Amino acid sequence: MALLDILVYPHPRLRDIAYKVDTVTDEEREFIKNMAETMYAASGIGLAAIQVGVSKRIIVIDISDNSDDLLVLINPEIIKHNGIQICEEGCLSVPEVYAEVTRAKEITYKYLNLDGKPVTQNADGLLAICVQHEIDHLDGKVFVDYLSRMKRDRIRKKLLKINK
Ligand code: GNR
Ligand code: NI
């Protein structure tokens, strides 16, 4: 087991488009274990591989109160969405910044599970937000991209200064 370093915005690798996983191997499963450990250690409810510098379409999520319901999504895709909801979001790659983002209220999404088997599921509420937030990461997108240029610039400058 190992904790991985989380890249902080505006790190350029957060703009990478992640590659699909071909086959889910033991190597992937070992990496996913470390992703989950890293997410729990950082008290996050989700983590995308790109946030730890790995350009693969892999996401871990746990929105449960007891941190005992790990979801692993490989090659996730949203195939249907409905309605809108607004939630105050944060991101492990944008520390101490919180802002309202508008997203779909309900989604249907498909992915490969840890066994490499295709699964289709529905989600709403916080899980739907989290899946959309994480898939954005896989496409090089960060939640601050939805904010005004002025707010985004302010966040960028603040984080650049802290991480110098
Ligand atoms: O830990 C996280 N909390 C959160 C809160 C509201 C909306 C989205 C999230 S995801 C975030 C973890 C993270 O950065 N995942 O990429
Ligand atoms: Ni994030």
Side-chain angles (χ1 to χ4, degrees), residues 51 90-93 133-134 137:
Q51 292 179 275
C91 180
L92 294 174
S93 295
H133 176 115
E134 303 311 338
H137 277 303

Side-chain angles (χ1 to χ4, degrees), residues 83-121:
I84 61 165
Q85 61 178 330
I86 298 172
C87 174
E88 174 143 293
E89 296 196 10
C91 180
L92 294 174
S93 295
V94 192
E96 282 163 57
V97 174
Y98 303 90
E100 286 189 341
V101 177
T102 303
R103 297 194 188 269
K105 183 169 164 43
E106 302 161 341
I107 57 171
T108 303
Y109 57 105
K110 64 172 189 185
Y111 61 93
L112 302 180
N113 67 14
L114 274 174
D115 299 321
K117 298 263 157 59
V119 181
T120 301
Q121 270 170 351

Side-chain angles (χ1 to χ4, degrees), residues 8-17 50 89-91 93-94 97-103 132-156 159:
V8 173
Y9 180 85
H11 196 291
R13 292 211 64 186
L14 290 171
R15 294 299 179 205
D16 285 359
I17 313 283
I50 204 84
E89 296 196 10
C91 180
S93 295
V94 192
V97 174
Y98 303 90
E100 286 189 341
V101 177
T102 303
R103 297 194 188 269
Q132 292 171 81
H133 176 115
E134 303 311 338
I135 291 178
D136 270 356
H137 277 303
L138 301 182
D139 292 324
K141 220 165 181 191
V142 181
F143 85 100
V144 297
D145 296 344
Y146 295 105
L147 308 181
S148 71
R149 180 176 209 143
M150 196 168 78
K151 282 186 185 166
R152 195 166 50 250
D153 282 350
R154 211 181 288 144
I155 292 163
R156 205 188 58 232
L159 292 177

Side-chain angles (χ1 to χ4, degrees), residues 29-88:
R29 283 184 277 266
E30 188 58 36
F31 168 63
I32 289 164
K33 254 196 226 168
N34 293 335
M35 275 183 71
E37 201 195 355
T38 302
M39 173 184 72
Y40 289 127
S43 298
I45 57 170
L47 186 72
I50 204 84
Q51 292 179 275
V52 293
V54 174
S55 290
K56 291 183 182 178
R57 301 191 80 83
I58 300 175
I59 287 168
V60 292
I61 292 176
D62 191 339
I63 59 162
S64 71
D65 290 335
N66 305 319
S67 298
D68 58 1
D69 190 10
L70 180 67
L71 309 175
V72 176
L73 314 186
I74 301 165
N75 300 343
E77 277 177 59
I78 290 169
I79 52 179
K80 218 168 79 184
H81 60 89
N82 191 31
I84 61 165
Q85 61 178 330
I86 298 172
C87 174
E88 174 143 293

